[in-house]
Amino acid sequence: TTLFRSPSPARAALGSSPPATPRHYSGGFAVALAVGTVIGLIESAKGYWIGQSAPNDFGWLNALAGNMPWWISWAVLALVVFRLVDRWPCLEEGLAYAIPRHVLASVLLSTVHLGTSALIAWIANVRDIMPFQTVLIEFTLVGVITDMFTFWAIAAAYSGYRWRDALRSAEWEQQSLELRAARAEAASARLEEQMTEARLAALRMELNPHFLFNTLNSVSALAQKGEAERAAEVLSRLSDLLRRT
């Protein structure tokens, strides 16, 4: 089990990716729809140009019906690919665990896509002159590689998008932790300063009035005994103590 689901270095560095949100799916679908529309229009233009040499009447509607469903349907299937990538992320689950599941999914989605596209093209263009089985075989032979490549391109693009999102989330979390640590350090410094001021205030209260009274009595006694030097020394020490506090 460990062999097939060993955590990757990316997972060790970032932890689990943040869960997908509707923003991820809607943004990915919009991009897939835009790319599919552009490619579909290009392929339709090519089909229309080639169809002009055919003996039958082949117009723009025929070209669009033969090409647009192929690419637009992949925009819809992209939502399924997104969900599969989130369900079995290669970077987190490990390639040996995730890749076989994605291979099976790519085969199933390609089968659905090829069958649906062949049916639409057959109904729109050649229903009266060619059996559906022939169209399906032709679509499969021509499009299976394209479909597999499309699946993996979508999966790779979405994985990169989610990987970038995980990196940004990790960086934001690190910055947030650093900011909280800086604030805690500043609060600790302020608290320590306040405690120092409180201790100094308590010391000042202790100095007043009993300590000063006793000290001055001692100085007075020394002066009466004629010990002026000792009295001056006591006053100097008292002055230093008061200055420090």
Side-chain angles (χ1 to χ4, degrees):
T1 304
T2 305
L3 173 64
F4 289 97
R5 301 197 66 173
S6 57
S8 65
R11 185 172 189 173
L14 295 177
S16 299
S17 298
T21 63
R23 176 180 62 85
H24 293 106
Y25 292 141
S26 60
F29 174 73
V31 173
L33 182 61
V35 173
T37 300
V38 171
I39 297 177
L41 290 174
I42 293 174
E43 292 297 321
S44 296
K46 289 168 55 179
Y48 175 77
W49 181 75
I50 295 174
Q52 297 308 299
S53 59
N56 56 333
D57 186 16
F58 191 86
W60 263 108
L61 291 179
N62 301 101
L64 292 172
N67 291 279
M68 292 301 293
W70 177 285
W71 296 104
I72 297 300
S73 58
W74 261 120
V76 178
L77 292 176
L79 294 172
V80 181
V81 179
F82 299 159
R83 185 67 186 90
L84 292 173
V85 171
D86 287 327
R87 177 65 180 83
W88 298 306
C90 295
L91 292 175
E92 294 184 9
E93 299 291 351
L95 296 178
Y97 178 81
I99 291 298
R101 288 161 173 76
H102 287 303
V103 170
L104 178 60
S106 67
V107 172
L108 294 176
L109 284 183
S110 296
T111 301
V112 172
H113 178 255
L114 288 170
T116 303
S117 300
L119 179 62
I120 295 175
W122 176 72
I123 294 175
N125 294 324
V126 293
R127 179 177 54 182
D128 298 330
I129 60 176
M130 187 180 298
F132 171 70
Q133 292 81 352
T134 303
V135 176
L136 179 60
I137 292 174
E138 290 183 358
F139 265 65
T140 302
L141 294 176
V142 175
V144 63
I145 296 178
T146 301
D147 267 14
M148 297 291 288
F149 175 81
T150 303
F151 175 92
W152 287 104
I154 294 173
Y158 183 72
S159 296
Y161 172 56
R162 298 285 283 121
W163 170 251
R164 185 195 64 174
D165 188 63
L167 282 176
R168 288 183 174 180
S169 178
E171 291 174 356
W172 181 86
E173 184 176 355
Q174 180 64 27
Q175 292 174 358
S176 179
L177 289 175
E178 292 176 355
L179 180 60
R180 287 197 294 267
R183 290 176 176 173
E185 185 177 355
S188 177
R190 288 194 300 270
L191 179 60
E192 185 176 355
E193 182 181 356
Q194 292 172 359
M195 291 179 64
T196 302
E197 292 177 354
R199 286 194 295 267
L200 291 175
L203 182 58
R204 292 190 187 99
M205 292 180 65
E206 291 178 0
L207 289 174
N208 296 313
H210 301 292
F211 177 77
L212 288 177
F213 178 77
N214 293 333
T215 303
L216 292 176
N217 276 341
S218 298
V219 172
S220 177
L222 291 172
Q224 290 175 2
K225 293 178 181 180
E227 299 180 7
E229 292 183 359
R230 292 187 61 188
E233 182 180 355
V234 172
L235 288 175
S236 177
R237 291 182 178 180
L238 177 61
S239 176
D240 292 340
L241 177 62
L242 293 175
R243 189 181 300 109
R244 286 196 297 269
T245 59

